[in-house]
Amino acid sequence: MNILRFYIGKTILATSLVTLITLAIIRVLFALIDESGDFDKGSYAFMDGLSYTLLLAPQYIYEFFPMAILIGSIAGLGILASHSELTVMRAAGKTTWQIISAALSYGLLLIAFSVFLGEFVAPKTTLMAENLRNRALHGEQFVDSNQGMWLKDGSHMVHLGEVLNESQLSDVTVYEFNLDNELTRIIHGRSAQLKGADWTLLNGDVIQLGAEQGLSSALKGLDASNVVSKEPFESQPWKTTISLDNLSALRVEPENMNIVNLYQYRQYLEGNGLETKNYDLAFWQKVFQPVSTAVMIILAASFIFGPMRSVSMGARVLVGVLTGMVYFFAVRSFGPVSLVAGLPAFFGALMPPLIFAVAAWYLLKRAG
């Protein structure tokens, strides 16, 4: 059985990797074409776009993984069926579930690769890609660091703790300088809210430094450069040239974060009374991604042993592509729809693999 397990696993691994590479190349090409519209903006050129899309390739592979495994498994098992090798295996006493378990045992290697890619490689390369693109488009106006982001806003410098969404920021600090480049005032808000076209800083302090604040009668006689005053505020208008496009570029999307960062960021949002449902959904989708990959292998076997037992290889691959696309868009649409309907994020992430698992079980039961 070990030799048989190795033979089945080797075939599925080979066809799945070929499918993954093919899908990734197609996705990179489409992304590069999409990026071509921004060429010549700032210093963004073809080589920057090519580097950007290649750095995003690990994220594309991770997103396409269940779909690619389905197509690859159908192709691999289809090759064995076309050569009547599956028929010989069953005639030799191997059951359908023994053949599926052989495929799943090597599928664990693919699942381990998927987890490694999604947790350790894709988040880092995606961040590198976004930083490369932002620097090329906006110059050194933006500096991203582990402790937030620095932005140049006219003659001011701004530090952003987090970009929560296109209309909400947290931990915003504005540093104002005079004509001699001396720091004169620091404005800090725990959050910032965009209403219409105007930003408002909320729940913060204004720290006035040195001679710019003017001296009160009580402070006369002191060195003006050493004088500091601090005034709290609940809300204060914030005049800034930072655009919504800039903030969108700086925001890290939930699907580009690993499970640990998603959990920690969700705890942070919840602790500050902010919305967490999009991060909950991304967290559970990542948790169920390995389950989805295993379900795709079982679904591929159910096709080969069921309704596609005697069709051509072209028809099998076509059905695999169509089914994989249905699953891809089901995952993309079912989660957000479930959130809009007020259902738990856990439910929205679980339903697509569960539905396809039930379909696979039904087809295998009919095949006998």
Side-chain angles (χ1 to χ4, degrees):
M1 184 63 188
N2 287 336
I3 296 176
L4 191 62
R5 187 186 300 273
F6 172 76
Y7 184 66
I8 295 172
K10 181 191 70 173
T11 305
I12 290 180
L13 278 176
T15 51
S16 297
L17 289 177
V18 169
T19 307
L20 267 177
I21 294 171
T22 303
L23 288 176
I25 291 174
I26 293 173
R27 184 66 181 87
V28 165
L29 288 175
F30 274 99
L32 185 59
I33 292 171
D34 190 44
E35 287 300 305
S36 64
D38 289 331
F39 291 165
D40 297 329
K41 290 182 181 177
S43 62
Y44 197 56
F46 173 79
M47 289 307 296
D48 296 313
L50 181 61
S51 301
Y52 171 72
T53 51
L54 288 176
L55 285 170
L56 290 178
Q59 181 64 27
Y60 296 149
I61 291 174
Y62 181 75
E63 292 174 354
F64 284 132
F65 212 85
M67 176 179 174
I69 298 307
L70 173 64
I71 299 170
S73 297
I74 287 179
L77 291 173
I79 291 171
L80 299 179
S82 299
H83 297 164
S84 301
E85 290 169 285
L86 292 180
T87 303
V88 172
M89 292 177 195
R90 299 182 78 178
K94 302 302 177 187
T95 66
T96 300
W97 281 107
Q98 283 179 317
I99 296 173
I100 293 175
S101 67
L104 280 174
S105 63
Y106 276 79
L108 291 176
L109 295 176
L110 294 170
I111 291 172
F113 174 68
S114 168
V115 171
F116 175 76
L117 197 67
E119 294 303 303
F120 301 105
V121 180
K124 292 181 179 178
T125 57
T126 300
L127 182 61
M128 291 169 60
E130 296 299 338
N131 283 338
L132 183 152
R133 187 176 188 276
N134 289 335
R135 287 178 185 275
L137 285 173
H138 307 294
E140 297 301 323
Q141 184 182 4
F142 302 102
V143 177
D144 198 358
S145 72
N146 292 331
Q147 287 78 40
M149 290 157 283
W150 289 92
L151 299 86
K152 192 172 187 304
D153 184 20
S155 61
H156 305 160
M157 289 298 297
V158 178
H159 178 264
L160 302 180
E162 297 284 348
V163 180
L164 301 177
N165 53 52
E166 287 79 3
S167 63
Q168 195 172 18
L169 311 172
S170 74
D171 192 19
V172 179
T173 307
V174 182
Y175 298 86
E176 296 183 358
F177 299 85
N178 61 20
L179 295 177
D180 296 325
N181 292 324
E182 295 173 336
L183 182 63
T184 59
R185 192 163 70 153
I186 301 172
I187 306 173
H188 175 260
R190 289 188 61 189
S191 62
Q193 187 76 39
L194 179 65
K195 293 182 179 178
D198 300 319
W199 284 97
T200 303
L201 294 173
L202 303 172
N203 302 318
D205 302 289
V206 178
I207 300 174
Q208 194 78 44
L209 303 173
E212 296 295 326
Q213 65 168 320
L215 294 176
S216 65
S217 57
L219 296 173
K220 286 180 179 177
L222 296 176
D223 182 354
S225 61
N226 294 326
V227 177
V228 176
S229 67
K230 182 176 181 180
E231 295 290 336
F233 65 83
E234 292 185 359
S235 67
Q236 174 168 311
W238 177 28
K239 301 296 183 185
T240 178
T241 59
I242 299 171
S243 70
L244 290 176
D245 289 342
N246 296 152
L247 295 179
S248 299
L250 289 170
R251 187 185 177 206
V252 177
E253 298 296 333
E255 56 267 26
N256 295 333
M257 301 169 71
N258 62 30
I259 288 180
V260 174
N261 287 341
L262 276 171
Y263 177 77
Q264 292 175 342
Y265 195 61
R266 184 203 173 281
Q267 295 296 97
Y268 164 79
L269 293 176
E270 189 177 50
N272 288 276
L274 300 171
E275 186 61 63
T276 64
K277 59 184 181 182
N278 288 332
Y279 293 87
D280 288 337
L281 178 62
F283 174 83
W284 286 114
Q285 284 178 334
K286 281 185 175 287
V287 169
F288 288 126
Q289 173 92 328
V291 177
S292 301
T293 304
V295 168
M296 292 299 105
I297 295 174
I298 298 173
L299 184 63
S302 72
F303 283 166
I304 297 301
F305 290 111
M308 301 179 64
R309 184 178 303 176
S310 56
V311 302
S312 66
M313 178 58 77
R316 288 170 178 154
V317 172
L318 178 61
V319 171
V321 171
L322 293 176
T323 307
M325 290 179 67
V326 169
Y327 181 79
F328 181 81
F329 288 112
V331 171
R332 288 294 179 117
S333 58
F334 198 91
V337 169
S338 65
L339 293 182
V340 172
L343 299 172
F346 173 87
F347 180 81
L350 175 63
M351 284 310 293
L354 182 62
I355 291 172
F356 279 74
V358 171
W361 173 81
Y362 174 75
L363 291 174
L364 284 172
K365 187 178 180 182
R366 284 193 59 185

